[in-house]
Amino acid sequence: MSNITLTTLLAHKRSGEKITMLTCYDATFAATAADAGIEVLLVGDSLGMVLQGHDSTLPVSVEDMAYHTAAVKRGNKGALVLSDLPFMATATLEQTYANCATLMRAGAHMVKLEGGAWLTEAVTGLAERGIPSCVHLGLTPQSVNVFGGYKVQGRGDEQAEKLKAEALALEQAGAAMLLLECVPSPLAREISQAATIPVIGIGAGPDTDGQVLVLHDMLGLSLSGRTPKFVRNFMQDANSINQAIENYAQAVKQGNFPASEHEFSA
Ligand code: KIV
Ligand code: NA
């Protein structure tokens, strides 16, 4: 696979080719996923749950994220590496810049920030300083204590309009990509059509510009014993991990994943 860049992803957005993204936390899985056709390796702060065993992502530090980003960078074979800013790493503009610099130096090509329209200043400043950013909207797990649980966001006309306005404000501010988690499919479709930057979905239906899943979820591994509604276990029809990841990448490219049973209604 030749190197995937932001230009590749923008070309996919324009041509309608789906973007494949998967979380990845170490060198061997980075090599495996890149070989299997994953275009974006997300070093997600979900590692706090699936690797570290915490019951939320809040305990994850910037140092943890840098450690795993560096490991992914070493194993990567041409995918774009996207790294999460963990809980409170974006508390102030100054901290945001410093923490993004740490992740970029560790090997990230782009950073992901959880939030909303309040991030516009950070997003503009990052772009000016050479750091492309992806803003994670909808169910932002770092705010689980504000939401009172892991709940679908953007339901009802008022909330949907608000989320769409935030998405477009962030694009306007210079975000390179958006990620929508657990929002109704019609809202995700509307935002994807309105935005000129790639919109990636998880639990956001089939009409975003690309899809992401947590590696452990799609391999059928679960610490809690609960699997979110939007997950498919790709190990079920595969005889190796490599095959499962390849099947996921192909299902996304062909529009066979997600299916109706993985969607949330408005
Ligand atoms: O940390 C993560 O794995 C994520 C995905 C759920 C999008 O942010
Ligand atoms: Na995350």
Side-chain angles (χ1 to χ4, degrees):
M1 187 161 72
S2 66
N3 282 0
I4 303 290
T5 67
L6 193 49
T7 310
T8 322
L9 304 183
L10 275 167
H12 285 359
K13 164 86 188 187
R14 291 190 190 116
S15 70
E17 181 176 342
K18 298 288 184 184
I19 296 164
T20 55
M21 185 188 294
L22 183 63
T23 72
C24 185
Y25 317 100
D26 69 29
T28 306
F29 272 102
T32 303
D35 273 346
I38 300 299
E39 295 163 312
V40 183
L41 304 176
L42 171 61
V43 188
D45 65 350
S46 53
L47 68 84
M49 299 172 85
V50 298
L51 299 192
Q52 298 174 336
H54 295 297
D55 61 3
S56 79
T57 57
L58 274 61
V60 178
S61 69
V62 174
E63 290 65 37
D64 292 336
M65 295 309 304
Y67 174 92
H68 288 282
T69 298
V72 166
K73 176 202 165 74
R74 283 179 218 121
N76 182 27
K77 299 186 186 174
L80 187 139
V81 178
L82 172 62
S83 293
D84 268 354
L85 271 296
F87 179 63
M88 288 303 275
T90 53
T92 68
L93 204 52
E94 204 173 335
Q95 286 170 330
T96 303
Y97 292 158
N99 292 327
C100 287
T102 299
L103 296 184
M104 295 296 284
R105 289 194 180 107
H109 299 115
M110 193 189 301
V111 294
K112 179 159 74 63
L113 299 78
E114 284 189 16
W118 63 273
L119 284 169
T120 47
E121 195 182 358
V123 159
T124 302
L126 286 169
E128 287 167 344
R129 286 157 181 78
I131 302 182
S133 66
C134 171
V135 182
H136 185 153
L137 299 168
L139 171 50
T140 46
Q142 292 167 19
S143 299
V144 62
N145 295 296
V146 172
F147 296 145
Y150 297 99
K151 296 173 184 167
V152 177
Q153 302 295 313
R155 272 190 161 143
D157 288 347
E158 197 179 317
Q159 289 305 310
E161 277 310 311
K162 182 168 178 276
L163 213 150
K164 186 181 170 188
E166 293 199 79
L168 296 179
L170 286 156
E171 170 176 15
Q172 197 63 38
M177 191 151 74
L178 298 172
L179 189 148
L180 300 175
E181 177 166 354
C182 292
V183 301
S185 306
L187 173 60
R189 185 192 318 124
E190 232 185 272
I191 293 174
S192 304
Q193 285 173 353
T196 64
I197 54 174
V199 179
I200 309 299
I202 176 166
D207 300 319
T208 53
D209 304 307
Q211 298 289 330
V212 61
L213 282 177
V214 170
L215 173 69
H216 295 56
D217 286 346
M218 57 81 74
L219 293 179
L221 301 171
S222 170
L223 195 56
S224 68
R226 288 185 305 265
T227 307
K229 176 186 162 79
F230 52 79
V231 173
R232 178 186 292 171
N233 177 356
F234 284 86
M235 273 311 280
Q236 239 146 31
D237 302 308
N239 45 35
S240 69
I241 287 172
N242 311 60
Q243 189 68 57
I245 297 176
E246 207 172 296
N247 289 352
Y248 162 68
Q250 280 173 14
V252 170
K253 285 286 182 198
Q254 290 161 5
N256 295 330
F257 177 80
S260 54
E261 71 262 26
H262 305 114
E263 294 186 53
F264 297 109
S265 60

